[in-house]
Amino acid sequence: MDATIRTHIEHMHEDLAKRDSLRLNTDWLKQALLNVPRHLFIEQYYDDEAPDGIARVESPIPTAKQLEAIYSDRGLMIREDPHSAASQPTLIFGMLDDLKLTHGCKVLEIGTGSGWNAGLIAFRVGAESLVYSIDLQADLVEKARKHLNSAGFTEVNLRAGDGGLGWDGETFDRIIVTVGSPDIPPAWIESLAEGGILVMPLKTRGAGDPILRLHKQGNTLTGTITRWAGFMDLQGNFKSSTENALEPSSDPVLEALLQEEPTFAPLRAYVGSDCALYLRLNGEPMETLWEYKEQRGMHSGLLDRELPALCVPRSVYEPKPENRVDAYGNPQGVDRFITKIEEWVNLGSPKITDYHIELIDPAVSADEVPHSYVDKRPNATLRFSLPDVPLSRDQN
């Protein structure tokens, strides 16, 4: 291996090994980075500083700037229309940690992308033929095949197809989903072996894509949320637009509200994805806004189209630290939203990692378990519960 590339890999290893969120064996992590070099899987990525906005990676040895980007802890957009990205290494290794891979595991990956994740999985389980990866985009699959071959992985099972349908009735010890899914398709549940683990990002619109880690026990799945993330949307038969972010310029109700001058109300705590998930589970119309008030990026907001009212929690650091709500529209709707946020604070501001999750029968009521919330999707009904909430919290 070229000495410059090895130096970049060692620097990445040192950086990732320091992360408290990663519990992977550091020796295995270094060997994985050396044996599945990331630069072999990145042919191009989008870079604002490139002449046409695209950095085309030089082969066999990328430029110093390209190596710095590839071996940094950042996600890289590798294609537009349709979008595809090489996920942030911290997120990839965090999800592999969630998967609890062992030697000899048979693994299904939904969303092949560049192929790097499939290569890392193959290296971990010790047998390429135990790894199956599927992507709806046929050209991405062929590029991933080329990337894997260049890294010495010639027996990984690759296929172009709808990942929501599984893989011909095959059964797997582990299933990892690397696209945000608005549901849990039946095929994923049916093809997961008893005692198996499913790791997947669940689209929740206003709360991002929390990563679920679910164990199969009998006919049900139970587990937790391990971390927050943001992924491209699942395509194919199980695609759904109901979980997509809103664009103010294309939503007349939202656009009209944002024309108003907002009022401001202070909050007792920072409101981020933890609160957004709580509000979503409590039936509030939590939505994610793109480019809120000409600010690039995602902003969680509460939108009531009937009143109408919009409430956008923000953290403002200038001129002094302050947590507040930017409120538009009907004051009654705004007051209701703020009351719900206060309820979350009074519960002790539960984090997304505090919830216990269980796949349940759609007819089961949330009231059967204290501090539980039912989230009904087209194919799966999930109960999120807070088993460790002290009674004193309700009395605050």
Side-chain angles (χ1 to χ4, degrees):
M1 176 179 288
D2 177 81
T4 301
I5 292 175
R6 187 179 185 95
T7 298
H8 278 280
I9 290 175
E10 289 175 345
H11 286 165
M12 174 179 265
H13 169 252
E14 291 173 3
D15 179 40
L16 295 177
K18 295 175 185 176
R19 306 298 177 98
D20 292 337
S21 60
L22 295 180
R23 297 175 294 276
L24 292 165
N25 179 284
T26 56
D27 290 336
W28 176 84
L29 177 60
K30 183 173 184 178
Q31 291 304 311
L33 292 170
L34 288 169
N35 284 275
V36 196
R38 195 183 190 211
H39 71 276
L40 296 181
F41 294 81
I42 308 294
E43 296 183 24
Q44 67 174 37
Y45 59 91
Y46 286 80
D47 183 350
D48 292 339
E49 296 181 7
D52 61 354
I54 301 175
R56 293 171 178 82
V57 178
E58 297 188 15
S59 181
I61 300 177
T63 66
K65 183 180 178 182
Q66 291 170 350
L67 284 172
E68 184 177 348
I70 292 168
Y71 286 103
S72 65
D73 188 29
R74 56 179 279 203
L76 299 172
M77 180 70 71
I78 59 176
R79 190 179 72 171
E80 286 188 321
D81 195 27
H83 292 300
S84 183
S87 297
Q88 181 183 13
T90 298
L91 178 57
I92 285 178
F93 284 107
M95 291 178 71
L96 291 181
D97 181 38
D98 295 339
L99 210 57
K100 302 302 176 190
L101 293 171
T102 57
H103 190 85
C105 274
K106 184 179 178 183
V107 184
L108 173 63
E109 177 189 37
I110 310 297
T112 306
S114 71
W116 191 45
N117 198 50
L120 292 170
I121 293 170
F123 181 73
R124 182 67 183 93
V125 302
E128 301 167 42
S129 61
L130 291 175
V131 180
Y132 295 69
S133 185
I134 187 168
D135 199 294
L136 197 61
Q137 308 303 323
D139 62 325
L140 278 184
V141 172
E142 290 312 308
K143 287 183 178 181
R145 193 186 310 277
K146 182 178 73 172
H147 302 158
L148 286 161
N149 287 344
S150 69
F153 298 97
T154 60
E155 298 179 10
V156 172
N157 300 283
L158 298 173
R159 172 185 291 180
D162 189 340
L165 302 177
W167 192 298
D168 293 342
E170 293 275 351
T171 301
F172 299 92
D173 302 304
R174 305 286 189 271
I175 298 176
I176 182 169
V177 184
T178 58
V179 287
S181 177
D183 203 350
I184 306 180
W188 297 355
I189 301 172
E190 294 164 4
S191 61
L192 189 63
E194 177 67 18
I197 297 173
L198 166 66
V199 172
M200 60 169 286
L202 182 70
K203 302 299 287 188
T204 56
R205 197 163 196 167
D209 306 343
I211 303 295
L212 308 188
R213 179 174 180 266
L214 304 173
H215 291 260
K216 186 172 183 179
Q217 299 169 312
N219 293 320
T220 192
L221 299 174
T222 60
T224 59
I225 298 172
T226 61
R227 65 197 79 243
W228 179 93
F231 276 90
M232 302 295 178
D233 297 340
L234 178 73
Q235 303 298 309
N237 288 346
F238 295 90
K239 175 182 178 180
S240 172
S241 61
T242 61
E243 300 296 339
N244 293 344
L246 295 173
E247 295 187 20
S249 60
S250 62
D251 188 298
V253 175
L254 188 57
E255 180 69 16
L257 285 167
L258 289 175
Q259 296 303 313
E260 301 178 9
E261 285 299 317
T263 58
F264 306 104
L267 294 174
R268 286 195 287 143
Y270 169 72
V271 175
S273 61
D274 294 327
C275 183
L277 179 62
Y278 175 81
L279 295 170
R280 161 63 187 260
L281 295 176
N282 277 270
E284 291 301 321
M286 199 74 200
E287 317 244 12
T288 299
L289 318 182
W290 279 103
E291 299 183 23
Y292 161 66
K293 295 294 282 185
E294 300 180 353
Q295 299 175 47
R296 303 290 298 183
M298 292 193 302
H299 302 269
S300 293
L302 290 150
L303 175 64
D304 188 320
R305 296 178 181 277
E306 302 231 348
L307 286 174
L310 173 66
C311 183
V312 184
R314 295 182 61 199
S315 270
V316 181
Y317 296 98
E318 297 294 340
K320 63 180 181 179
E322 178 187 8
N323 295 314
R324 79 179 192 211
V325 159
D326 293 4
Y328 304 81
N330 190 300
Q332 180 182 351
V334 171
D335 289 344
R336 189 184 85 242
F337 292 151
I338 293 176
T339 298
K340 285 292 185 181
I341 293 171
E342 291 291 318
E343 286 180 8
W344 172 75
V345 174
N346 289 337
L347 278 175
S349 305
K351 297 180 172 58
I352 60 173
T353 51
D354 290 337
Y355 292 93
H356 172 78
I357 305 168
E358 183 180 6
L359 182 71
I360 62 172
D361 187 298
V364 173
S365 169
D367 296 335
E368 296 181 15
V369 177
H371 299 297
S372 70
Y373 317 93
V374 171
D375 185 9
K376 291 188 177 182
R377 308 284 173 137
N379 292 280
T381 299
L382 297 169
R383 177 164 58 203
F384 292 73
S385 56
L386 292 166
D388 297 325
V389 174
L391 291 177
S392 59
R393 286 185 179 176
D394 294 336
Q395 301 165 2
N396 288 343

